[in-house]
Amino acid sequence: MAYDYILVERRGRAGLITLNRPNALNALSAGLVAELNAALDEFEADDKIGAIVITGSEKAFAAGADITEMKELDFVTAYRDDFISEWDKVGQRRKPLVAAVAGYALGGGCELAMMCDFIIAAETAKFGQPEISLGVIPGSGGTQRLTRFVGKAKAMDMCLTGRLMEADEAERAGLVSRVVPVGDVLEEAVKAAQKIASFSLPAVMMAKESVNRAYETTMAEGIRFERRIFQALFATEDQKEGMLAFTEKRSPQFNNR
Ligand code: CAA
């Protein structure tokens, strides 16, 4: 499929989606988000892909929702069309998503990065929810995911003042998993995705599902959920292969069944 606003590649078992609207700092227009979802659909359906990287450019991962597209929007239209609900589909993907962020990740750009399973940031990354300066608030998880990830104090600070958070603070606060030099960020994310994709896909998907459950339930329910999933994995061929390979002192050959 041909895309106008993104570039799509395969790097072994890792899928790579590069947001590509350089003239608008990768602002997330309806067209771009539709293409992003179409590319994610393609990778989710592809047995040869085990994990996906989403990245932008060195200057901007994404500078937010497209302000020119939104500025004339009225409430009734936004409500009737359930404006930006399409974005949620990114966060509902079952294969792991890794965000490789350099430069600006603002507004919807920060929210998109947070919909991924973890963020690898360049030293140049700048995260922010500046919607307040446009007369609105974050609309795609900024007040919710950010608060769960960095806590109330920093989330309030960012959403109320619109200030940007640089990569080192984002790492200290728990928003990003690693910070690397800007020239390495994409390779580091692709390597992480390839590593994930080398494991048993059912185990990987269940690990993702189980960690995400921690945000949606009590500790006791979460532990029960985790234990059931752990038990279920003993029904897979990959569990047999993984443990046999360990005892035979060789690398496992997972076949994702
Ligand atoms: N929407 C549309 N166009 C955007 C954009 C956006 N979010 N962000 C940048 N652009 C465009 C600019 O209009 C400019 O276009 P022209 O060259 O045609 O004038 C081009 O990208 C380059 O931007 P700047 O000249 O502004 O670049 P800069 O280096 O001076 O500043 C910036 C960079 C600080 C990121 C600045 O562009 C900026 O503040 N952007 C807006 C950030 C923002 O407010 N994001 C939140 C959007 S609302 C939202 O996301 C809602 C939600 O929760 C879903």
Side-chain angles (χ1 to χ4, degrees):
M1 183 165 168
Y3 295 108
D4 293 324
Y5 308 117
I6 60 173
L7 305 171
V8 177
E9 295 166 56
R10 286 167 166 73
R11 302 257 185 112
R13 283 183 53 78
L16 172 60
I17 300 174
T18 305
L19 310 180
N20 188 34
R21 283 188 77 201
N23 296 338
L25 301 184
N26 294 332
L28 301 162
S29 59
L32 187 152
V33 173
E35 289 190 358
L36 175 60
N37 273 318
L40 288 170
D41 283 343
E42 229 180 281
F43 283 147
E44 287 251 288
D46 186 342
D47 288 343
K48 294 189 185 66
I49 295 295
I52 300 153
V53 175
I54 301 179
T55 195
S57 67
E58 276 199 13
K59 170 134 194 199
F61 176 73
D66 191 311
I67 299 167
T68 42
E69 222 176 58
M70 272 187 308
K71 66 184 195 319
E72 302 298 342
L73 189 66
D74 62 82
F75 168 71
V76 172
T77 311
Y79 180 73
R80 190 195 55 209
D81 297 349
D82 207 8
F83 176 56
I84 67 171
S85 58
E86 283 296 294
W87 294 32
D88 273 356
K89 288 187 190 158
V90 177
Q92 291 160 10
R93 301 296 165 164
R94 301 181 72 211
K95 288 182 182 172
L97 304 180
V98 182
V101 175
Y104 295 109
L106 303 186
C110 185
E111 291 169 312
L112 174 62
M114 291 191 292
M115 284 177 209
C116 296
D117 296 304
F118 61 96
I119 301 172
I120 299 183
E123 287 159 346
T124 58
K126 291 180 180 57
F127 299 88
Q129 298 292 164
E131 290 89 343
I132 200 74
S133 65
L134 299 169
V136 291
I137 70 166
S140 201
T143 65
Q144 302 303 302
R145 288 194 180 91
L146 186 66
T147 307
R148 282 168 169 77
F149 298 164
V150 305
K152 179 183 168 189
K154 281 190 190 289
M156 279 289 188
D157 185 0
M158 288 172 76
C159 292
L160 294 180
T161 69
R163 84 162 169 95
L164 306 192
M165 188 187 264
E166 307 229 345
D168 58 344
E169 184 183 0
E171 188 183 25
R172 271 185 275 122
L175 179 59
V176 311
S177 68
R178 320 177 194 175
V179 178
V180 298
V182 65
D184 298 343
V185 68
L186 180 57
E187 277 321 303
E188 189 86 0
V190 168
K191 260 199 289 172
Q194 286 172 337
K195 179 89 183 164
I196 294 165
S198 74
F199 298 131
S200 166
L201 184 61
V204 160
M205 288 169 66
M206 288 188 199
K208 167 171 172 159
E209 199 179 349
S210 196
V211 172
N212 281 334
R213 189 57 68 103
Y215 286 99
E216 285 158 12
T217 192
T218 62
M219 177 69 92
E221 277 307 317
I223 296 283
R224 258 192 292 278
F225 179 81
E226 177 193 78
R227 195 183 309 130
R228 289 293 168 266
I229 288 213
F230 171 69
Q231 291 162 349
L233 282 166
F234 287 82
T236 63
E237 289 177 15
D238 287 341
Q239 173 270 326
K240 300 286 174 290
E241 167 61 11
M243 294 192 183
L244 185 65
F246 176 82
T247 56
E248 291 177 349
K249 301 191 188 306
R250 60 172 174 83
S251 299
Q253 298 294 313
F254 294 123
N255 68 10
N256 294 321
R257 289 159 55 94

